Amino acid sequence: MKTSFSVTTPIQATPAQVFSFLADPSTASVIDPAVVSYEPEGGAMGLGVRNHIRMKMLGIPVKVTSETIEWEPGRRMGFRSIKPGRPAIGVATHLFERCPEGTLYTWSMEFLPTGTGGRVIAGLSAALFERNAIAQQERVRRVIAAAASPVPPQS
């Protein structure tokens, strides 16, 4: 069973713009409607920061704490789930690479079994999160494109 994925989409914005959009906790529910709240300790995301996330997965309320393990503005950010720690944890990497269209945004995740039933949960998590990552990347692309588009004149 597959326990990892990687999805990439081009976005018409600079890597710094895409990174900044995703680094803003207030955009979390825009990017993913399942997110109820995203609260980094201290209010801002950065290396070593713990992030408290409340979401609904398949309609079930879930609380997750992640730790920011990579933080290179405009280039990459990485997170590791720390709570719950069983039966599997997730490690996510977001890469932002310059391309002719603007930015290639890649979201990769690996789910690591940590206890009984971990292999099954890791496989299910990879499938659910991959589907969600594809939808999230499309939302990011649309929101950033709309923000960059001029507002049509009112009649």
Side-chain angles (χ1 to χ4, degrees):
M1 183 178 279
K2 182 171 126 174
T3 59
S4 64
F5 70 84
S6 184
V7 294
T8 300
T9 193
I11 299 177
Q12 292 183 348
T14 68
Q17 289 169 315
V18 180
F19 183 97
S20 294
F21 181 78
L22 290 166
D24 179 354
S26 72
T27 66
S29 61
V30 173
I31 297 164
D32 186 351
V35 173
V36 175
S37 68
Y38 193 108
E39 300 172 4
E41 289 180 358
M45 293 171 62
L47 186 62
V49 170
R50 290 189 175 200
N51 308 288
H52 302 280
I53 307 146
R54 288 185 18 234
M55 64 180 101
K56 287 195 173 186
M57 294 178 72
L58 302 173
I60 301 166
V62 176
K63 289 182 183 179
V64 175
T65 301
S66 71
E67 179 180 21
T68 308
I69 57 174
E70 296 179 279
W71 193 260
E72 297 177 45
R75 295 198 51 217
R76 71 188 296 133
M77 59 177 80
F79 306 93
R80 174 182 54 232
S81 62
I82 54 176
K83 288 183 185 174
R86 296 205 183 284
I89 62 166
V91 178
T93 302
H94 301 266
L95 297 175
F96 311 88
E97 301 172 280
R98 187 169 297 284
C99 70
E101 295 89 354
T103 299
L104 279 180
Y105 165 40
T106 301
W107 179 3
S108 302
M109 278 193 87
E110 181 176 14
F111 292 88
L112 308 167
T114 58
T116 304
R119 283 182 187 247
V120 172
I121 295 300
L124 292 171
S125 296
L128 289 171
F129 273 81
E130 181 174 23
R131 185 179 70 189
N132 196 41
I134 293 165
Q136 284 187 25
Q137 284 188 334
E138 179 57 24
R139 282 197 277 303
V140 169
R141 189 194 61 71
R142 278 195 326 260
V143 170
I144 290 176
S149 298
V151 178
Q154 293 185 6
S155 42

